[in-house]
Amino acid sequence: MSMKKIFCPLAILALLITSQAFSQDEKNSDAVYLSLVKEYTLNPDGSMIYHFSKEQKLLTYRSFNSLYGETFVIYNPQYQKLTINKAVTTMADGKQVKGPANAFNEVLPGFASNAPEFNMLREMVITHTALERNAVISLDYTIRSEKGFYPALSGNEMISEYEPVKSLTIRIRVPEQQKLSYNLFNFKSEPIKSTEGNFNVFTWNFKNIPAISPEENQPGGYETCPRLVFTTGTDATAAWSSFIAQPAFKYTVSADMKQMIDKMVVDTKDKSSLALKIQEKVVNELNINWIPLRYTGFRLRTPEQVWMGNYGTLAEKAVLLTALLRQAGISAWPAAVQNASRYQEKTADLYGIEDIIVKAVIPGAEPMWLSVSSINSKDLSHSLPGKVFVTLNDDGTVTGTRTDMQEAVISLSGNLFINDQNTLTGELTASLAGPVNPVYTLKRDNEKARKWFSGGINGEDLGEAKLSQAAPEVAKFTYQLKKENALKKDTMLRRFTLPVLTNGVESWGIKRLPSYRNTPFEVGFPVSESLSLTLSVPDNLLLFSPEDEISLSNAAGTFVYELKKEAGKIVIKKEITIRKRTMDPAVYGAFKVLMDNWNDPRLQEVIFLAK
């Protein structure tokens, strides 16, 4: 069966990909997969077999010098056995060259370094030989997993690849009495169902799959790509309960851990501040090892083991943080982060876990969602839209909390004065609401707010911060400022660069945009950002920048700019509104117009002429 519908932003949007379109895609690629086969088998004895096979044609020098000269296979030899069935290169003239013995070398995966408990993991580096343009790599291997290593036969397969694929087959074999749950995302198609002896077989065949587009700022996590998710763990409650039943989720702490927390409780009375301090200790003082759960069989070490080893995986550090928070008298639970568009309440997709965070609950306040990999400046429910936080409850059940996309509302206003000595003084007031509100950072140290200023004013120009509000809804703070040599001198011209907050549109890092777009364009958040300044200057400075007024409104949002003289002062107004986080290609042109105006160098400074 052919793929009927592809919504992947990295692919061609069409009901049917024609061979002509695919051929054009192939011409622009470094390589092409002639065939890909991925087979999963659950044996009656509980063991599992993963079989992978590919035939990949190399089209450019880059394909074998930089991209596909080696294949890397990671596995756990304590529970798994890797067998290389075939590793052959067919050269352009048809000659076949088998991989020599020294083409297969086992190394320690990079993410397992400095983690003694995970030094048993292995990465087989398969070096392909006799490579040239138009050579075809043929690779076939199987990984057999012992019974009990995985809680269920599961997979989360994205259909698209970084190179075009002529033929992709995904096949799942399960014993005839075993149920299989599967979900197809971003396209509709049913598998071919058949039997092989005592096995039920589910087969998906896809033809002429276009390559993933290299365009930047696409929706994260390949959210709109075609994807197949499946599992034999058809009871979500049982699957999650089995995961939570591990000894790690007893949250026991050692005497040393208890002593440390007891001291922190005495020193910090405010519970939310205490939670943030404990988070800082876990994030900053314990190394993190980015080992995917699938390589450990979804097993975790206990909080005591993680503490004594001074390192842990995401999940292990989340369980440790939970244990320490509970010791401090704060209710807490680990939570798995999953993509909301693929989250299924009736089945547990452990392969779909993108992150593990911690939910902390302070009586009388909103839950705090804390990271264990970094010190989050704001609550993760504000900064991770389109997710489901799956809280792992003590009784083995889970609770899903969906995060919404919130609009960022940012304003910077002030009255500024420049004297005859070119010294700038005045007052600036900033307001940050929604996903840009760094409430946790301000709670830790409100002086860090001075780092969020850029342009003509930076942190060293600011006095002590006056924090008027630091709530989950909005943060407001005011600075008195003084800056020597405020105006840059350029012969007779004097230039003042407008200040900007780095939390808003500036944080996207978007300075130049291409003329057109084939895939959706994603920004950090919908935003409404404004700058409003009144600038007083001495009589020897004449306004050289033209008084101007720009007002734009289109499908993506609005842009307003105004520069005028009013009552002997210079009034500057600059605003941008982007209504959506993700812009379809049809709206991209309108978005580019707004961003080009926002980034226009002429609208980022005010120029004066010195008499």
Side-chain angles (χ1 to χ4, degrees), residues 63 72 87 240 324 343 345 412 415 420 506 548 550 596 601:
S63 67
F72 306 92
W240 284 116
L324 295 177
Y343 177 69
E345 292 184 357
L412 181 60
N415 292 311
D420 293 327
E506 199 72 10
D548 199 1
I550 302 172
D596 286 350

Side-chain angles (χ1 to χ4, degrees), residues 294-599:
R294 63 181 179 272
Y295 297 127
T296 67
F298 298 92
R299 293 173 174 82
L300 311 182
R301 294 177 299 147
T302 65
E304 292 174 280
Q305 290 173 315
V306 174
W307 180 263
M308 290 300 295
N310 199 39
Y311 68 89
T313 64
L314 268 174
E316 290 174 341
K317 290 189 68 174
V319 172
L320 171 63
L321 177 56
T322 300
L324 295 177
L325 289 170
R326 290 187 177 192
Q327 181 62 37
I330 299 172
S331 299
W333 302 265
V337 178
Q338 296 195 308
N339 189 294
S341 65
R342 296 191 294 270
Y343 177 69
Q344 302 289 314
E345 292 184 357
K346 295 183 179 181
T347 56
D349 176 22
L350 298 183
Y351 282 86
I353 296 175
E354 300 176 351
D355 197 355
I356 304 283
I357 60 176
V358 172
K359 176 184 180 180
V361 176
I362 310 294
E366 291 293 319
M368 301 173 69
W369 299 94
L370 304 173
S371 171
V372 295
S373 60
S374 62
I375 303 297
N376 43 297
S377 63
K378 48 191 170 289
D379 194 88
L380 293 178
S381 64
H382 296 160
S383 57
L384 294 176
K387 305 296 181 183
V388 176
F389 295 166
V390 185
T391 303
L392 309 181
N393 302 318
D394 292 359
D395 61 1
T397 63
V398 298
T399 305
T401 303
R402 293 180 179 266
T403 61
D404 298 324
M405 185 70 259
Q406 300 179 352
E407 181 188 37
V409 181
I410 305 154
S411 68
L412 181 60
S413 61
N415 292 311
L416 308 180
F417 305 87
I418 299 177
N419 62 21
D420 293 327
Q421 287 74 45
N422 196 19
T423 299
L424 175 68
T425 57
E427 181 179 88
L428 279 176
T429 298
S431 175
L432 301 165
V436 295
N437 176 9
V439 60
Y440 290 170
T441 297
L442 293 172
K443 195 170 186 65
R444 292 185 176 99
D445 181 5
N446 61 26
E447 280 301 301
K448 290 186 177 180
R450 66 177 62 250
K451 296 181 179 180
W452 304 330
F453 288 84
S454 182
I457 296 171
N458 54 46
E460 62 187 24
D461 305 322
L462 305 173
E464 184 177 354
K466 179 183 178 182
L467 187 63
S468 57
Q469 187 174 354
E473 298 78 23
V474 63
K476 293 182 179 180
F477 46 91
T478 299
Y479 278 104
Q480 299 295 321
L481 62 92
K482 182 177 181 180
K483 180 181 178 67
E484 306 291 343
N485 301 314
L487 302 181
K488 296 179 181 178
K489 297 182 179 181
D490 182 4
T491 60
M492 297 296 292
L493 300 180
R494 303 291 183 266
R495 300 175 182 271
F496 173 67
T497 302
L498 300 179
V500 62
L501 286 169
T502 58
N503 313 63
V505 174
E506 199 72 10
S507 69
W508 299 345
I510 299 173
K511 298 302 179 183
R512 293 183 180 180
L513 292 168
S515 300
Y516 63 89
R517 183 83 178 185
N518 291 319
T519 60
F521 190 100
E522 185 175 86
V523 295
F525 36 76
V527 66
S528 178
E529 182 167 353
S530 65
L531 172 69
S532 179
L533 296 177
T534 299
L535 182 61
S536 299
V537 298
D539 293 337
N540 67 326
L541 293 180
L542 302 178
L543 182 62
F544 185 77
S545 294
E547 295 186 59
D548 199 1
E549 184 174 348
I550 302 172
S551 181
L552 302 172
S553 179
N554 58 33
T558 61
F559 175 80
V560 173
Y561 174 81
E562 186 177 344
L563 175 64
K564 63 180 180 180
K565 290 186 291 185
E566 189 175 272
K569 300 179 180 180
I570 310 299
V571 177
I572 306 131
K573 180 180 179 182
K574 188 177 180 182
E575 300 176 355
I576 190 170
T577 299
I578 304 297
R579 297 191 180 96
K580 294 182 178 181
R581 186 188 187 199
T582 303
M583 268 72 61
D584 292 332
V587 180
Y588 170 76
F591 169 73
K592 174 176 165 57
V593 169
L594 301 180
M595 289 301 300
D596 286 350
N597 277 273
W598 178 263
N599 291 321

